[in-house]
Amino acid sequence: MSADPRPLIGEPLALDLLNTRWMQDGVAQDLLTGTDGLAVWLRANALDGRFDADEPTLRHVLHARDALRRAVDEKITEGVDAVLGHGRIRATLTPEGPGEVPEFEDPAWGPAWLAARNYLELLTTAPDRIRGCAHEACVLHFFDTSRNGTRRWCSMAACGNRAKASRHYARTREA
């Protein structure tokens, strides 16, 4: 298995799926060009033991990624709702207490459905904390967990530093 090449990992599942597309040196990158990349994404999100990295799952995950992008960037929600139609939550009661179990009409929809469901959870928690990176050349998304909710960059070390350097260069050039 290959390593995860993405510059931003560890975001909530819905945003992590969006972040399977990124820019590197001005060139668009896409982790999900095949089942090998899907396997990397499933492993990064601890879904590899539950779901197969096969063509049907890849097709559904790509559908969910496009739907999530439209929902996050353009506020068009029908695609996410359509993905959610492929699964449901079943309430359970176990000796440990109440619980919920996701069920899917087809297991290949599992990762896509879980990402769409996670987006609903983020909207319920703090919809204003779902953000795109403020750097004009970056396409990554993050869930702002900063105390005061003012995070602007996917990464201060990468995009934040580039923006600061660019502003500094512009100021010194004017002077």
Side-chain angles (χ1 to χ4, degrees), residues 13-133:
L13 187 62
L15 302 180
D16 195 70
L17 178 55
L18 288 179
N19 292 341
T20 57
R21 286 187 182 144
W22 71 97
M23 298 298 288
Q24 184 173 332
D25 300 324
V27 177
Q29 306 292 314
D30 189 346
L31 179 65
L32 300 179
T33 58
T35 56
D36 289 344
L38 175 62
V40 169
W41 183 76
L42 290 172
R43 187 177 69 247
N45 288 284
L47 297 173
D48 54 335
R50 294 172 57 191
F51 303 104
D52 295 329
D54 57 15
E55 288 296 330
T57 304
L58 177 62
R59 190 171 48 255
H60 300 321
V61 165
L62 290 171
H63 179 79
R65 180 177 71 179
D66 290 342
L68 286 166
R69 187 203 50 77
R70 285 191 306 276
V72 170
D73 294 342
E74 303 168 25
K75 308 301 183 224
I76 299 172
T77 60
E78 293 84 6
V80 173
D81 195 49
V83 171
L84 290 167
H86 293 279
R88 68 185 183 113
I89 293 289
R90 182 173 55 87
T92 64
L93 181 60
T94 68
E96 292 79 35
E100 294 181 337
V101 175
E103 295 180 337
F104 316 105
E105 65 181 34
D106 172 0
W109 276 101
W113 187 90
L114 290 171
R117 169 75 179 191
N118 176 251
Y119 181 61
L120 295 184
E121 293 165 359
L122 296 177
L123 288 173
T124 301
T125 303
D128 58 322
R129 297 281 182 120
I130 300 169
R131 308 239 171 90
C133 181

